[in-house]
Amino acid sequence: MKVVVLTGAGISAESGLPTFRDAAGLWEGHDPMTVATPEAFAADPDLVHRFYDERREVLARVQPNAAHQALARLEQHLGEDLLLVTQNVDDLHERGGSQRVHHLHGRLRSAWCTSCDRRHDWSNSLGDRPPCPACGQPALRPDVVWFGEMPYGMDSVHAALFDCDLFVAIGTSGVVYPAAAFVHYAIGNGADTLELNLAPDPVSDFAQVRQGPATENVPAWVEEMLR
Ligand code: BJW
């Protein structure tokens, strides 16, 4: 069985990372366009660096949860028949044991040099404009995908979606494209679809839904799969 799993901020919520759009989320009371677009970065780089530097610091203090760990167990069983696509920029899937994680919207712990186009693993601040380790220019930005930018590796994700038997969306509100369309590609290919989420959302009309916290629902679903 070929499976594509798409995860969103909800899978990391119980680890202590806020989601974007829930109450008390990252964007409560904020316009995402002031921190999550290339235009916002050009207009106020200090603000944008501060937003990501703070999140990078928090990430160092949290741990993967039972949902991340369950998906790692599924990978051990399915191998290359599982594609784990995450919209999350955190590294909790990797720290939970997953070996192959496709980060559609980039990674918080990576810095991208806008001068020489090289990428570097990064766990410190970017706000103090450190030089790029490759070219020396102070031109590093968070290696994340903002609105209006192209998500990473769409070709391989599309190929997997058009070839899968089961598509599972976990902890995502299903409002950001192109990820929001994945369920439709999977259905078009004849795949079964499943959603694991705390609350109903636009994906719910197109999938079998299991409502509840990821730390309960994901391990339970994975155990069913392994049986
Ligand atoms: C729990 C839980 C628990 C809580 N257990 N569950 C077509 C139509 C309309 C618009 C567009 C379109 N195509 C493109 C656009 C424009 C735009 C877009 O989608 N805009 C919409 C807002 C309308 N998209 C883009 O610009 C994208 N680029 C693009 O499309 O390029 C062209 C292209 C075309 C065709 C093919 C390919 C490319 C880029 C989008 C980049 C998004 N970037 C961000 C920021 C990343 C950096 C950062 O982290 O700061 O990505 S925005 C933000 O939203 C972040 C997330 O990855 C993303 C999704 O959020 P997510 O994960 O769903 O979080 P929430 O908070 O929304 O939801 C949390 C969910 O968890 C909820 O459902 C809760 O119920 C649940 N939950 N606790 C289980 N314990």
Side-chain angles (χ1 to χ4, degrees), residues 34-209:
T34 61
V35 285
T37 65
E39 292 79 14
F41 184 58
D44 193 345
D46 288 336
L47 173 76
V48 175
H49 275 312
R50 210 161 42 241
F51 179 66
Y52 287 98
D53 282 351
E54 284 170 10
R55 286 173 60 194
R56 207 176 293 108
E57 277 177 27
V58 173
L59 181 55
R61 297 196 295 267
V62 301
Q63 300 300 327
N65 64 47
H68 300 105
Q69 288 157 354
L71 291 178
R73 285 199 296 282
L74 187 64
E75 182 189 80
Q76 279 167 10
H77 188 78
L78 290 181
E80 300 210 339
D81 287 337
L82 171 70
L83 178 65
L84 174 56
V85 184
T86 187
Q87 297 168 88
N88 299 343
V89 297
D90 67 54
D91 60 356
L92 294 182
H93 281 304
E94 287 89 342
R95 286 198 267 149
S98 288
Q99 307 274 330
R100 295 178 306 109
V101 185
H102 184 111
H103 281 272
L104 199 65
H105 293 163
R107 295 189 303 121
L108 204 45
R109 284 182 159 166
S110 173
W112 173 24
C113 179
T114 56
S115 181
C116 73
D117 202 28
R118 301 276 285 273
R119 288 177 162 82
H120 308 278
D121 287 341
W122 206 268
S123 47
N124 301 320
S125 157
L126 287 174
D128 47 5
R129 308 297 196 281
C132 167
C135 74
Q137 291 298 312
L140 296 169
R141 59 161 271 187
D143 187 10
V144 301
V145 178
W146 287 320
F147 288 112
E149 296 183 323
M150 184 62 85
Y152 292 147
M154 285 301 299
D155 287 350
S156 58
V157 176
H158 278 151
L161 286 166
F162 285 116
D163 191 33
C164 71
D165 303 296
L166 175 64
F167 170 78
V168 186
I170 302 173
T172 174
S173 58
V175 297
V176 173
Y177 288 84
F182 290 177
V183 67
H184 302 291
Y185 297 141
I187 288 171
N189 166 54
D192 290 331
T193 54
L194 173 66
E195 182 187 38
L196 308 178
N197 200 315
L198 265 189
D201 63 35
V203 178
S204 311
D205 292 338
F206 303 99
Q208 187 202 326
V209 181

